[in-house]
Amino acid sequence: MTVSENFSLFSGGAPAFAQPLPVGQLYAPEWSEFEAAMQGIFERRYYTNHGPILRQLEEALSDFLQVRHAICVTNATIGLLMATDALGLSGSVIVPSHTFIATAQSLKWNGLRPVFCDVDPVTHHIDPEMASRLIDKDVSGILGVHLWGGACDISGLQQLCDQHGLKLYFDAAHAFGCNVEGRPVGGFGELEVFSFHATKVLNATEGGCVTTNDDDLAARLRNIRSSYGAGPPVPVTKTSNGRMSEAQAAMALISLHDHPKIQARNERLFRAYIRGLDGIPGIRLIHPVNVTQSNYQYAACEVDPERFGMSRNFLMEILHAENIIARRYFYPGTHRTIGFNDQANQNALHLPVTEKLSETGLQLPLGARVDESAVARICEIIGSVQESATDLCKARKQVS
Ligand code: T4K
């Protein structure tokens, strides 16, 4: 038997895992709790439009995040669009390219030009020093992105924005339940935007929330969120429908109640990855940075092709054949996606880290679909792929 036959991609044999293991959190509540919540909704016949469960959720979130206002929305993409409008930005906004495309798309929807910033090669976060070099007269704000259960250098960015009179706000889609120097993410900058997508640590199936300590901004957001507004009417130039339904809110409320258990489980899984990947050459697990508490919702790695012995893409293909559905977050860099790729060549020159990460970043499964033994097995497989990398690459050439 040749080395390559140990792997399903080559042998065509059964994968290591019978069911696909996706990367998302994919939390499911106790059925009885969810059923009781749905029964209440059906009895009230009140399905959406700032209903009682939504109001309860907003209060619970504002307590949990220690912030004056939590404005729930359909999803974080809509939240980012509304937030950017509510801030009254103009011209251009500095934003990392190494993020989900929705971050920069929210600027485009608002007629603003994203100025793509590179990220720190170790932390993957936007760096205040790099951002400072991009400030010119046209720039009106910085949209920071907290990644991988960590946070940006918030104080560094705030200082920079204060110096230049810029507005600072955050895409906090990855940072629900994270603390920075003991303070929850949610109350920093002008506002922060969370995602409650099914793949995130707080699950509303789809959902999100904009948080702020600014009463005027909150009032504008509540009036932008639906065409008839909610709360005292204040002048806004656009309205939308970014409401969260009662069913979404019910799911989020149960998920919020279970958050301590989910966070603790994530942390155990993350530690299992630390143990399992330790000593495998060429693969680096990204640890959450700048936080005193992480949600540990992601196992983001970087694959160094030279030291690992093969490319990230080939490793991913081998893992997929074993039903380990690892993903390339974020591929390609946002500056190479629709709407921005006309500038790609020019921008690529200034974004060497982002360019590299789009070729080396790999997200491994961490969430409800894996337990510690599955994580140990995933790491074992990655370790044996690395040990056999030379043979596997040769076998690949013979096949193709
Ligand atoms: N900012 C940042 C930094 C973000 O990462 C995101 C979203 C946003 C803003 C915008 O937030 P939202 O508007 O989504 O609230 C996913 C998610 O759809 C997206 O929420 C997330 N970030 C992005 C990074 O990843 P995909 O297309 O890569 O993954 P998806 O949804 O196909 O799910 C991953 C795996 O989970 C798949 O193997 C399938 C599996 N899965 C997924 C869902 C939804 C399930 O088994 N069950 C499910 O219900 O986008």
Side-chain angles (χ1 to χ4, degrees), residues 20-26 73-80 98-104 145-148 171-174 193-200 203 205-209 298 320 325-330 363 369:
L21 304 182
V23 294
Q25 288 277 301
L26 307 175
V73 288
T74 319
N75 54 49
T77 302
I78 297 291
L80 283 162
H98 186 60
T99 176
F100 189 56
I101 48 176
T103 318
V145 183
H146 306 307
L147 289 179
W148 320 140
D171 177 335
H174 293 192
V193 181
F194 293 98
S195 168
F196 302 155
H197 184 255
T199 53
K200 300 293 189 292
N203 180 3
T205 66
E206 280 279 358
C209 170
Y298 285 115
H320 281 195
I325 314 301
R327 296 288 280 257
R328 302 180 290 191
Y329 285 171
F330 301 104
Q363 197 65 240
R369 290 289 196 208

Side-chain angles (χ1 to χ4, degrees), residues 28-103:
E30 285 296 322
W31 176 247
S32 56
E33 284 184 66
F34 188 71
E35 189 181 32
M38 290 306 118
Q39 202 164 6
I41 295 173
F42 298 159
E43 278 162 13
R44 284 188 293 279
R45 294 287 199 275
Y46 199 97
Y47 295 102
T48 186
N49 295 9
H50 322 299
I53 305 181
L54 189 281
R55 291 199 296 273
Q56 200 188 333
L57 174 65
E58 289 192 342
E59 257 180 55
L61 286 169
S62 118
D63 277 358
F64 182 84
L65 299 169
Q66 296 170 34
V67 67
R68 284 176 65 77
H69 304 278
I71 298 140
C72 286
V73 288
T74 319
N75 54 49
T77 302
I78 297 291
L80 283 162
L81 296 187
M82 287 170 38
T84 305
D85 182 63
L87 285 168
L89 295 156
S90 62
S92 52
V93 172
I94 296 173
V95 65
S97 171
H98 186 60
T99 176
F100 189 56
I101 48 176
T103 318

Side-chain angles (χ1 to χ4, degrees), residues 57-383:
L57 174 65
E58 289 192 342
E59 257 180 55
L61 286 169
S62 118
D63 277 358
F64 182 84
L65 299 169
Q66 296 170 34
V67 67
R68 284 176 65 77
H69 304 278
I71 298 140
C72 286
V73 288
T74 319
N75 54 49
T77 302
I78 297 291
L80 283 162
L81 296 187
M82 287 170 38
T84 305
D85 182 63
L87 285 168
L89 295 156
S90 62
S92 52
V93 172
I94 296 173
V95 65
S97 171
H98 186 60
T99 176
F100 189 56
I101 48 176
T103 318
Q105 281 290 340
S106 67
L107 301 175
K108 200 169 177 71
W109 275 94
N110 279 281
L112 298 162
R113 190 174 69 85
V115 177
F116 290 116
C117 186
D118 213 357
V119 291
D120 180 279
V122 177
T123 69
H124 295 188
H125 283 80
I126 183 169
D127 175 74
E129 207 273 317
M130 288 178 193
S132 74
R133 285 186 247 136
L134 300 172
I135 296 175
D136 63 18
K137 281 202 189 101
D138 197 48
V139 171
S140 61
I142 297 183
L143 171 49
V145 183
H146 306 307
L147 289 179
W148 320 140
C152 299
D153 173 358
I154 294 173
S155 55
L157 288 170
Q158 189 63 66
Q159 226 177 348
L160 183 66
C161 286
D162 291 346
Q163 266 166 20
H164 294 270
L166 306 178
K167 288 186 173 163
L168 175 64
Y169 65 121
F170 296 101
D171 177 335
H174 293 192
F176 186 83
C178 297
N179 286 359
V180 173
E181 287 166 17
R183 247 180 87 191
V185 168
F188 294 101
E190 305 278 337
L191 58 80
E192 307 207 53
V193 181
F194 293 98
S195 168
F196 302 155
H197 184 255
T199 53
K200 300 293 189 292
V201 71
L202 195 130
N203 180 3
T205 66
E206 280 279 358
C209 170
V210 187
T211 54
T212 181
N213 283 309
D214 181 326
D215 297 347
D216 294 337
L217 195 49
R220 280 204 293 287
L221 282 161
R222 291 203 165 94
N223 280 261
I224 294 170
R225 178 175 52 181
S226 64
S227 292
Y228 54 77
V234 293
V236 290
T237 55
K238 289 190 205 104
T239 63
S240 65
N241 179 358
R243 293 186 292 258
M244 179 185 272
S245 75
E246 288 287 275
Q248 285 173 287
M251 181 80 169
L253 206 51
I254 306 170
S255 177
L256 180 62
H257 181 258
D258 283 347
H259 183 76
K261 274 192 287 185
I262 300 167
Q263 189 278 341
R265 185 173 186 279
N266 281 349
E267 186 165 351
R268 287 197 298 278
L269 295 173
F270 191 83
R271 298 208 178 281
Y273 271 116
I274 297 179
R275 289 193 299 277
L277 295 176
D278 184 39
I280 304 177
I283 186 150
R284 181 173 81 91
L285 181 67
I286 312 303
H287 289 239
V289 290
N290 298 325
V291 287
T292 40
Q293 169 75 64
S294 173
N295 56 32
Y296 293 102
Q297 71 172 322
Y298 285 115
C301 297
E302 249 183 86
V303 182
D304 173 348
E306 306 243 306
R307 292 187 61 228
F308 192 80
M310 69 172 58
S311 68
R312 179 273 316 268
N313 286 356
F314 190 18
L315 169 62
M316 191 173 76
E317 219 183 307
I318 294 171
L319 294 178
H320 281 195
E322 304 296 351
N323 259 340
I324 303 163
I325 314 301
R327 296 288 280 257
R328 302 180 290 191
Y329 285 171
F330 301 104
Y331 179 84
T334 305
H335 61 288
R336 290 193 177 276
T337 59
I338 290 173
F340 306 119
N341 50 4
D342 50 331
Q343 299 170 5
N345 289 333
Q346 182 201 327
N347 285 338
L349 296 174
H350 308 295
L351 303 169
V353 181
T354 304
E355 290 279 302
K356 179 173 167 259
L357 290 178
S358 72
E359 295 302 323
T360 59
L362 188 66
Q363 197 65 240
L364 296 172
L366 193 161
R369 290 289 196 208
V370 289
D371 57 18
E372 282 171 82
S373 70
V375 169
R377 181 84 184 101
I378 292 168
C379 297
E380 227 173 73
I381 293 170
I382 294 174

